Structures are given as structure tokens and as C-alpha cells.
Amino acid sequence: MTRRWATLALVATLAALVVVGIGRWERSRHADEENDGIARVRAAVGELDSSRLAGFRFLARFQCLVYSRGQNEFALELCVDREGRIVEAIDRRSGETKYWSLREDMKLADVRVDRGEVERLIVRMCPDCAGIFERDEERAGG
């Protein structure tokens, strides 16, 4: 009976290791796909401070810059966290919205921008938002 339990324990341990390995592979694959899409939208935006900057969205964990293309005022969107990581990107140019996001684990985002520039652009559009950034920085201990 002891040998049977040892065998079952070994099989269960191996199965758990396989499941963990598959989970890590899937997480990495997902992050790669999302980062690739985010990088394509970032390249399509070009300079952050451009005449096509049309607006912004202000969310608790990140802020988004919205860019126009042609008649579409909301064609491209980049969402940036406090560290300057682009954690979401949206492409609405084709009529079919394409969406890439790492908001579930923002540390996986590897496309970055200058967070200070993002804040300056938002404050230029919304002077009252400066106070929000200042309070946020105080809370972060910076």
C-alpha cells in the first residue's frame, strides 16, 4: 500500500509541475502578443506630442492619450501607468476595434514612454489635472 501512495504522490507532483509549466508558457505567450500589438499602435502614433493628440482618459491606475486619424477623433489610444509602461493600446482605424491590454499584470508591459511627457500633455489639455498628479506623487512617496 505504501508503494502505491508513493507512486500516486509522484504522479500528482509531476502533473502539478506540468500544469505550472503550461501556465507560465501561456502567460509569456499572452504577454508577447499583447506587447507586439501595443508596439504597433505606439509606432502608428509616432510622436506623443503631435497635432493629432485629440484628448485623454483618466483612470485610477493609468491614463490614456487619444489620437485622431482622418475623420476618426478616437482612432488610436495609448494607456500609460505610473512607471511609463504602455499597459493598453487601442486601434479603431479600420472600423473594427483592436484592443491589446496587460492591465491584469502591468509589470509584463515592455513598451515604454516618458511618463513625465504624458503628464505634461494631459495637464496642457486639463490644467486642473495637475493637482491629481501632485496628489498621486505624494501618495507614492515621491
Side-chain angles (χ1 to χ4, degrees):
M1 187 76 157
T2 306
R3 184 177 213 145
R4 175 179 271 172
W5 286 110
T7 301
L8 286 173
L10 178 63
V11 168
T13 300
L14 289 174
L17 289 173
V18 167
V19 168
V20 167
I22 290 170
R24 286 183 178 168
W25 171 81
E26 173 56 25
R27 177 181 174 205
S28 176
R29 184 195 63 75
H30 169 73
D32 288 346
E33 287 179 2
E34 299 305 293
N35 277 309
D36 288 348
I38 289 169
R40 286 192 302 274
V41 174
R42 173 66 184 98
V45 164
E47 292 295 318
L48 293 180
D49 187 7
S50 77
S51 61
R52 295 180 173 186
L53 178 59
F56 67 95
R57 286 191 306 141
F58 209 104
L59 301 161
R61 295 175 53 207
F62 51 84
Q63 290 74 50
C64 306
L65 297 174
V66 181
Y67 295 85
S68 66
R69 292 295 185 272
Q71 298 297 322
N72 187 344
E73 287 189 49
F74 308 103
L76 299 168
E77 188 168 338
L78 298 174
C79 300
V80 181
D81 73 358
R82 180 188 311 222
E83 305 299 318
R85 297 177 290 230
I86 302 176
V87 297
E88 283 190 356
I90 304 170
D91 185 344
R92 300 179 187 94
R93 292 176 295 177
S94 69
E96 176 189 340
T97 300
K98 296 175 188 163
Y99 177 83
W100 296 272
S101 178
L102 289 164
R103 76 164 56 189
E104 73 278 0
D105 192 350
M106 295 191 286
K107 289 180 238 125
L108 296 175
D110 61 17
V111 181
R112 294 179 174 266
V113 294
D114 178 355
R115 174 59 189 198
E117 182 177 11
V118 171
E119 289 184 16
R120 283 188 298 278
L121 293 171
I122 291 174
V123 169
R124 188 172 72 201
M125 292 181 277
C126 170
D128 292 338
C129 292
I132 297 170
F133 289 122
E134 289 166 6
R135 284 191 303 276
D136 191 40
E137 190 173 317
E138 288 171 7
R139 280 189 212 125

